[in-house]
């Protein structure tokens, strides 16, 4: 690093510290003894109703007029300017009623559309400086800082507001920002993700009927699931999403259905996953990701079923040649006793035909990879495995680094396999095949060797910002 870079970094650090110090000063300000809320505020009430109409217009434009975006933006900008003029005209009367509330309403008007400007930050900062107990102002300031990617300052705003009372919106925002990638490090990731769950739980406790809070909790559980790969976390995520969609208001949110679809897909509950992605694309026709994810999942299930039925489209003679060389040495370390919590155990090598649904304790299977299923997404890595009896099963491997999966012709041994029977339906299509799910690639043996740690990679889940 040269001297110029060092000076720039020092300047950046100093600026960042000043921003946090400025926000800290706002929170330390003494509260007024006489509450401003008890005053009669006809001017502010009128302005607030006008701004509410402005937000309603913007929301309806986004939801119902996707084909007239340009026109609606022009109309919206005109309405914003009209409200700003109205605020300026009534500034003296509004400030006399409640100065902090006036600046809050001004900030609301300035932040209707994106991108957020520095002016919004300054206006909201004035509001919380004048009234440190103004939770809505703290929250709006935090949200603006998020849009400017000033996440540490935003987090401070949300936390500062909690000193003056709990609000489900702020708790939800805290849950989201605790999962922000730029704030996560190897040292704090576990603590932050757990905190994200706790904040979402608090939001739910404040209003158990609020679907948005349940949705945020579902996202928080899903984020931690991707880190820990614990089935319990995935179930908790899915259960939270189920609660969320029962709320008629939240059920109109395309993000909710999409994220629910992601959780269901990882749980291999494919029928509901397909319906969730479909609903997301219906609610937001312009969101191509939802539609593409639905189409990709249909293609994946179709390809998987076809390749399973045709055993990778490998001819019988070739299958026999590929599998006849399978022998106990292909089991690798599972050809001997392995150390477990219950002591040293010898796993029994069984053919695929003897697998039972669920967890096959103390058993190990072995076969050859006859095909790899193409998947637009890298997770799961899916292939068809054929054993010496020429029985076939689909294997879906999670947490495998891209480009590190077994290829056609490789021998693969899987200890204590977990077998499920996929039975999914969508419109006029049915997808059925036996599947083994592998959450821990390190347990597999490929070509008589253990899978190395460099082959493991954890997927990450990210939801849209507020």
């Amino acid at each position: 690093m040269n001297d110029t870079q060092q000076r720039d970094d020092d300047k950046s650090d100093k600026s960042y510290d000043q921003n946090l110090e400025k926000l800290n000063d706002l929170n330390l300000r003494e509260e007024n003894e006489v509450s401003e809320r008890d005053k009669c505020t006809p001017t502010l009430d009128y302005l607030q109703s006008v701004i509410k109409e402005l937000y309603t217009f913007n929301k309806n434009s986004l939801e119902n007029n996707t084909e007239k975006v340009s026109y609606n933006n022009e109309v919206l900008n005109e309405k914003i300017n009209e409200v700003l003029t109205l605020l300026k005209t009534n500034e003296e009367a509004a400030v006399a009623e409640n100065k902090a509330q006036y600046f809050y309403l001004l900030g609301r008007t300035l932040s209707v559309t994106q991108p957020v400007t520095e002016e919004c930050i300054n206006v909201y900062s004035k509001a919380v400086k004048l009234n440190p107990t103004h939770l809505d102002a703290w929250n709006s300031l935090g949200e603006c800082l998020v849009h400017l990617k000033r996440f540490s300052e935003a987090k401070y705003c949300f936390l500062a507001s909690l000193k003056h009372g709990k609000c489900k919106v702020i708790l939800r925002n805290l849950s989201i920002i605790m999962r922000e990638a730029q704030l996560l490090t190897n040292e704090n990731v576990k603590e932050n993700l757990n905190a994200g769950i706790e904040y979402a739980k608090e939001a739910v406790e404040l209003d158990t009927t609020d679907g948005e809070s349940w949705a945020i909790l579902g996202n928080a559980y899903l984020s931690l699931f991707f880190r820990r790969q614990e089935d319990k976390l995935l179930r908790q995520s899915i259960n939270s999403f189920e609660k969320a969609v029962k709320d008629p208001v939240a059920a109109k949110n395309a993000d909710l259905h999409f994220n629910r679809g992601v959780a269901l897909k990882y749980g291999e509950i494919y029928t509901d996953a397909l319906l969730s992605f479909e609903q997301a694309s219906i609610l937001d026709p312009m969101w191509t990701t939802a539609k593409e994810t639905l189409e990709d999942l249909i293609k994946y299930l179709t390809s998987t079923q076809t390749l399973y039925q045709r055993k990778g489209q490998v001819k019988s003679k070739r299958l026999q040649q590929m599998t006849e060389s399978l022998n106990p040495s292909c089991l690798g370390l599972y050809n001997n006793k392995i150390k477990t919590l219950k002591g040293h155990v010898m796993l029994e090598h069984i053919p695929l035909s003897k697998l039972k649904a669920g967890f096959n304790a103390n058993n190990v299977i072995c076969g050859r990879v006859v095909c790899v299923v193409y998947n637009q997404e890298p997770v799961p890595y899916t292939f068809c495995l054929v054993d010496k009896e020429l029985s076939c099963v689909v294997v879906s491997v999670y947490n495998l680094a891209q480009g590190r999966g077994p290829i056609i012709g490789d021998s693969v041994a899987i200890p204590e396999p977990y077998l499920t029977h996929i039975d999914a339906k969508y419109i006029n299509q049915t997808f059925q095949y036996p599947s083994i799910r592998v959450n821990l690639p390190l347990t597999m043996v490929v070509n008589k060797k253990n899978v190395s740690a460099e082959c493991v990679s954890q997927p990450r889940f990210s939801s849209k910002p507020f």
Side-chain angles (χ1 to χ4, degrees), residues 11-265:
K11 184 177 180 181
S12 176
D13 291 342
K14 184 177 180 181
S15 176
Y16 170 75
D17 292 339
Q18 288 174 342
N19 285 332
L20 278 184
E21 185 178 348
K22 181 180 178 181
L23 289 171
N24 193 46
D25 289 340
L26 299 180
N27 194 39
L28 293 176
R29 188 178 180 87
E30 292 291 333
E31 300 176 15
N32 294 327
E33 294 183 3
V34 180
S35 174
E36 296 283 349
R37 297 177 184 174
D38 296 333
K39 293 183 179 180
C40 183
T41 57
T43 304
L44 287 170
D45 291 343
Y46 167 66
L47 292 173
Q48 185 161 337
S49 67
V50 172
I51 294 169
K52 184 178 180 180
E53 291 176 2
L54 179 64
Y55 271 81
T56 300
F57 173 82
N58 184 41
K59 181 181 179 182
N60 291 338
S61 296
L62 293 173
E63 290 180 352
N64 304 322
N65 300 294
T66 53
E67 296 179 359
K68 302 177 182 178
V69 174
S70 177
Y71 165 75
N72 285 327
N73 284 342
E74 291 178 8
V75 176
L76 178 62
N77 287 330
E78 289 178 5
K79 288 184 176 293
I80 291 173
N81 289 329
E82 289 174 3
V83 175
L84 288 173
T85 300
L86 197 61
L87 282 162
K88 185 66 177 177
T89 303
N90 292 275
E91 180 177 1
E92 185 176 349
V95 167
E97 292 176 0
N98 188 323
K99 193 173 183 179
Q101 182 68 1
Y102 171 77
F103 282 114
Y104 166 69
L105 294 178
L106 178 58
R108 288 277 289 166
T109 306
L110 292 170
S111 58
V112 172
T113 58
Q114 304 300 327
V116 170
T117 64
E118 193 66 32
E119 184 180 5
C120 291
I121 303 296
N122 294 334
V123 169
Y124 281 131
S125 296
K126 288 180 181 178
V128 296
K129 183 176 182 180
L130 290 163
N131 181 7
T133 66
H134 200 313
L135 300 186
D136 290 336
W138 276 114
N139 184 64
S140 296
L141 175 57
E143 289 184 354
C144 285
L145 289 165
V146 167
H147 287 296
L148 293 176
K149 299 189 182 303
R150 289 158 60 176
F151 298 111
S152 293
E153 294 169 82
K155 177 182 173 183
Y156 176 84
C157 289
F158 298 138
L159 289 172
S161 69
L162 292 184
K163 297 177 182 179
H164 307 291
K166 288 187 177 181
C167 164
K168 64 182 180 182
V169 176
I170 293 174
L171 288 166
R172 290 199 300 251
N173 285 345
L174 265 172
S175 176
I176 295 172
I177 207 165
M178 295 306 287
R179 295 182 269 113
E180 172 54 47
Q182 293 189 29
L183 297 182
L184 296 178
T185 64
N186 291 333
E187 291 74 26
N188 71 14
V189 60
K190 181 179 179 181
E191 179 183 353
N192 278 18
L193 292 181
N194 280 320
I197 290 176
E198 293 306 314
Y199 285 129
K201 281 183 177 179
E202 287 188 60
V204 167
E205 289 172 1
L206 291 177
D207 184 356
T208 57
T209 65
D210 190 315
E212 188 171 352
S213 296
W214 280 110
I216 298 300
L217 181 58
N219 292 342
Y221 277 128
L222 193 56
S223 295
L224 192 57
F225 163 74
F226 282 138
R227 288 281 179 174
R228 292 187 183 175
Q229 291 298 311
E230 295 176 6
D231 291 341
K232 179 182 177 181
L233 292 169
L234 184 59
R235 289 195 301 271
Q236 289 173 313
S237 175
I238 293 173
N239 289 339
S240 297
F241 287 133
E242 296 304 319
K243 297 280 183 65
V245 295
K246 291 179 180 179
D247 177 1
V249 177
K252 296 178 182 178
N253 189 325
D255 294 338
L256 164 59
H257 292 279
F258 183 84
N259 294 339
R260 176 174 177 260
V262 171
L264 290 165
K265 186 180 75 168

Side-chain angles (χ1 to χ4, degrees), residues 365-415:
I365 59 168
C366 183
R368 291 274 181 202
V369 178
V370 294
C371 67
V372 176
V373 181
Y374 173 76
N375 191 358
Q376 185 68 29
E377 296 185 10
V379 181
Y381 183 85
T382 305
F383 56 90
C384 290
L385 195 71
V386 173
D387 68 1
K388 209 158 188 176
E389 291 184 350
L390 301 186
S391 296
C392 184
V393 70
V394 174
V395 179
S396 295
V397 186
Y398 293 79
N399 307 306
L400 193 62
Q402 198 164 359
R404 296 287 187 170
I407 60 175
I408 295 174
D410 286 350
S411 67
V412 177
I414 302 172

